[in-house]
Amino acid sequence: MEVSEFEDLLDLHGGDLARWPAAARAQAEALLAASPQARRLHDDMLAVETVLRCTPAPSAGADAIAARATRHRQETPARRLALRAGWAVAAMIVLAVGLSVGAHAPVERDVSPARMMASALDGGVADVE
């Protein structure tokens, strides 16, 4: 028996070799005597089984546990709409804040478009008229 086969059987039958089929048990015992890697895998399985035995069972019924185990987010048209609406609301808030700030900012009404362009290009106010 190879270590990989032993590992598969360990996952299938557990760490208690008495529960294994007789032929597989005999091969597993021989492998455990010869392979430190197999012994480490077996010890790990026994430790996991001990923890599982000592862990209290959840208080919910079997149906509730099954429902929780299979629950996952599902992509539905309503969920897609809610996600898009969330971004739309955020964009509207940003727009409203921008309009509010722009409405209350002082505006120079006597600045010509040419002066604004020159100011933007030169980095300062230029006399262009």
Side-chain angles (χ1 to χ4, degrees), residues 1-69:
M1 174 181 293
E2 297 291 322
V3 174
S4 61
E5 182 183 357
F6 174 75
E7 188 173 14
D8 291 341
L9 290 170
L10 197 59
D11 289 340
L12 182 64
H13 299 293
D16 184 6
L17 296 181
R19 294 181 168 196
W20 288 36
R25 182 180 334 126
Q27 291 178 352
E29 288 170 346
L31 183 64
L32 285 170
S35 171
Q37 183 182 6
R39 284 192 298 274
R40 189 172 43 254
L41 289 170
H42 185 246
D43 291 342
D44 290 346
M45 177 59 80
L46 292 175
V48 167
E49 289 175 344
T50 300
V51 169
L52 290 174
R53 273 194 309 274
C54 295
T55 303
S59 60
D63 292 337
I65 293 170
R68 182 182 295 166

